[in-house]
């Protein structure tokens, strides 16, 4: 695996190896990890806001002994502001760092620029396209909570149209056996048709369920997401009230409809779609999910950097 900007090319064996590595790193004494990537340099370039993704990558690097160089508001504070192209950014930063972790607003610009980088590029989210490392931490979470990903029934709710975490996770789920997916659509924010077709061709069982209570009662794992308001086209955007009315979220009433062994995941940030009253329930897995992100990113950095550091 040279670059990691999409979940299209990943294999089940790649995912399983990264999960095994993340789990091993989590169980290992912290001190035994701290020199693994000593001398390595990780660059984090963020052209869109982030809390978890950037900090978990930086924490992952720190725990493995690598150093971090960072442009956390790159759209404003880097030479992008002067009009520098992404290929040039990679040519330059790739001469300082051994791996570049980038969050960018344009999926195709990123995909095209990757070829110009002398070092591995890891996407930390690209526009409304993909968020591949989030998908890794999401499946790692499913695996930890259920002991397997095969045969799970997973319900997606919120913004399936612009939610890049949804797109990447669905692609990874095609690698597992017998996974069933229910789409609890928010009108106007359905999964892009091309993606739905691609997933069905890859063998994923996808169906829609308009009755929220029915969807909740069937599901093993609910993947709740927020509405990506910042990605709406202002010309056609629905009003705040319209979206809020049709959004399916989780409060204690909805929680009561879910199976006892079910789990709720959310990539976070949440902005109203999960009532904090749900947090203390064992089924709320979203903060455990956050922690899994750091370990899976440690595993990925280790995989990408080990050779460069030989
Ligand atoms: C997500 C993202 O940036 O796509 N956040 C994250 O990385 N955990 C989800 C979101 O912003 O809604």
């Amino acid at each position: 695996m040279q670059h990691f900007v999409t979940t299209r090319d990943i294999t089940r064996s790649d995912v399983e190896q990264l999960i095994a590595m993340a789990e091993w790193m989590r169980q290992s004494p912290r001190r035994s990890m701290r020199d693994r990537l000593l001398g390595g340099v990780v660059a984090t370039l963020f052209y869109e806001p982030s809390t978890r993704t950037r900090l978990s990558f930086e924490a992952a690097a720190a725990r493995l002994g690598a150093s971090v160089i960072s442009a956390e508001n790159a759209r404003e504070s880097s030479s992008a502001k002067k009009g520098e192209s992404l290929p040039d950014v990679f040519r330059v930063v790739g001469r300082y760092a051994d791996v570049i972790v980038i969050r960018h607003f344009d999926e195709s610009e990123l995909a095209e620029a990757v070829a110009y980088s002398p070092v591995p590029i890891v996407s930390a989210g690209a526009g409304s396209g993909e968020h591949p490392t989030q998908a890794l931490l999401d499946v790692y979470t499913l695996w930890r909570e259920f002991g397997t990903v095969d045969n799970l029934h997973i319900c997606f709710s919120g913004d399936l149209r612009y939610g890049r975490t949804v797109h990447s996770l669905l692609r990874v789920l095609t690698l597992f056996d017998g996974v069933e997916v229910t789409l609890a659509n928010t009108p106007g924010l359905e999964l892009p048709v091309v993606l739905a077709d691609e997933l069905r061709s890859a063998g994923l069982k996808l169906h829609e369920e308009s009755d929220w209570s029915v969807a909740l009662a069937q599901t093993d794992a609910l993947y709740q997401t927020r509405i990506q308001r910042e990605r709406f086209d202002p010309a056609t955007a629905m009003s705040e009230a319209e979206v809020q009315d049709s959004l399916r979220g989780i409060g204690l009433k909805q929680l009561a409809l879910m199976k006892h062994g079910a789990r709720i995941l959310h990539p976070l940030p949440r902005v109203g779609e999960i009532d904090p009253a749900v947090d203390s329930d064992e089924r709320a897995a979203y903060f455990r999910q956050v922690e899994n992100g750091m370990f899976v990113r440690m595993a990925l950095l280790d995989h990408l950097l080990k050779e460069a550091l030989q």
Side-chain angles (χ1 to χ4, degrees):
M1 197 195 302
Q2 168 70 0
H3 303 295
F4 189 42
V5 296
T6 171
T7 50
R8 282 171 205 269
D9 321 314
I10 201 165
T11 65
R12 178 168 176 153
S13 144
D14 292 333
V15 175
E16 285 174 346
Q17 281 177 40
L18 287 166
I19 288 180
M21 188 64 160
E23 191 59 23
W24 175 73
M25 289 179 149
R26 163 184 239 127
Q27 308 292 346
S28 300
R30 254 206 222 193
R31 271 187 302 162
S32 69
M33 292 292 114
R34 69 180 179 196
D35 292 340
R36 277 184 79 86
L37 298 183
L38 202 63
V41 177
V42 176
T44 57
L45 300 180
F46 278 67
Y47 291 73
E48 281 190 344
S50 168
T51 302
R52 275 153 294 276
T53 307
R54 186 172 64 84
L55 293 181
S56 64
F57 263 112
E58 295 185 358
R63 282 172 184 250
L64 294 170
S67 301
V68 175
I69 54 174
S70 186
E72 60 152 307
N73 183 13
R75 205 165 179 172
E76 290 301 315
S77 67
S78 77
S79 286
K81 190 80 179 166
K82 304 177 190 168
E84 188 167 38
S85 73
L86 212 44
D88 279 5
V89 170
F90 289 163
R91 288 181 177 114
V92 170
V93 179
R95 285 178 164 77
Y96 306 142
D98 304 301
V99 59
I100 299 173
V101 177
I102 178 171
R103 170 167 288 184
H104 200 264
F105 45 87
D106 190 322
E107 188 186 23
S108 32
E109 207 179 316
L110 175 63
E112 281 163 30
V114 157
Y116 300 92
S117 176
V119 297
I121 300 290
V122 176
S123 166
S128 56
E130 281 219 47
H131 193 341
T133 65
Q134 179 73 41
L136 291 179
L137 79 92
D138 294 338
V139 281
Y140 180 35
T141 303
L142 292 171
W143 177 81
R144 285 204 109 226
E145 298 289 332
F146 293 97
T148 178
V149 180
D150 292 324
N151 302 314
L152 288 179
H153 190 155
I154 305 172
C155 175
F156 286 77
S157 170
D159 192 338
L160 314 187
R161 179 172 179 185
Y162 298 110
R164 56 194 176 195
T165 68
V166 171
H167 306 161
S168 288
L169 176 55
L170 282 167
R171 285 205 170 103
V172 173
L173 289 177
T174 63
L175 305 174
F176 292 86
D177 300 326
V179 173
E180 209 172 310
V181 170
T182 296
L183 306 172
N185 291 321
T186 307
L189 300 176
E190 294 89 355
L191 205 63
V193 176
V194 217
L195 178 58
D197 289 347
E198 175 198 318
L199 296 167
R200 286 201 173 97
S201 316
L204 197 67
K205 283 182 261 167
L206 269 189
H207 41 84
E208 301 183 0
E209 176 53 69
S210 54
D211 187 330
W212 190 212
S213 310
V214 172
L216 287 174
Q218 293 172 340
T219 197
D220 296 313
L222 168 65
Y223 195 83
Q224 180 72 49
T225 61
R226 77 180 169 93
I227 304 297
Q228 307 266 316
R229 282 197 180 75
E230 71 276 27
R231 306 202 189 279
F232 286 12
D233 174 357
T236 55
M238 294 175 284
S239 75
E240 194 86 358
E242 275 175 313
V243 171
Q244 218 48 53
D245 278 357
S246 52
L247 171 68
R248 281 139 177 156
I250 291 285
L252 292 177
K253 226 173 79 196
Q254 289 76 23
L255 183 66
L257 301 171
M258 296 183 73
K259 295 182 194 172
H260 289 300
R263 290 291 183 266
I264 303 167
L265 279 72
H266 193 309
L268 301 179
R270 63 172 158 187
V271 287
E273 60 285 343
I274 299 181
D275 184 342
V278 169
D279 297 358
S280 54
D281 193 283
E282 180 60 19
R283 287 170 283 185
Y286 31 91
F287 292 117
R288 298 193 288 274
Q289 191 182 350
V290 166
E291 196 179 353
N292 297 338
M294 182 181 69
F295 290 111
V296 98
R297 286 169 176 138
M298 284 172 73
L300 182 66
L301 289 180
D302 191 76
H303 170 78
L304 293 171
L305 274 176
K306 265 250 121 59
E307 262 172 48
L309 295 175
Q310 295 301 311

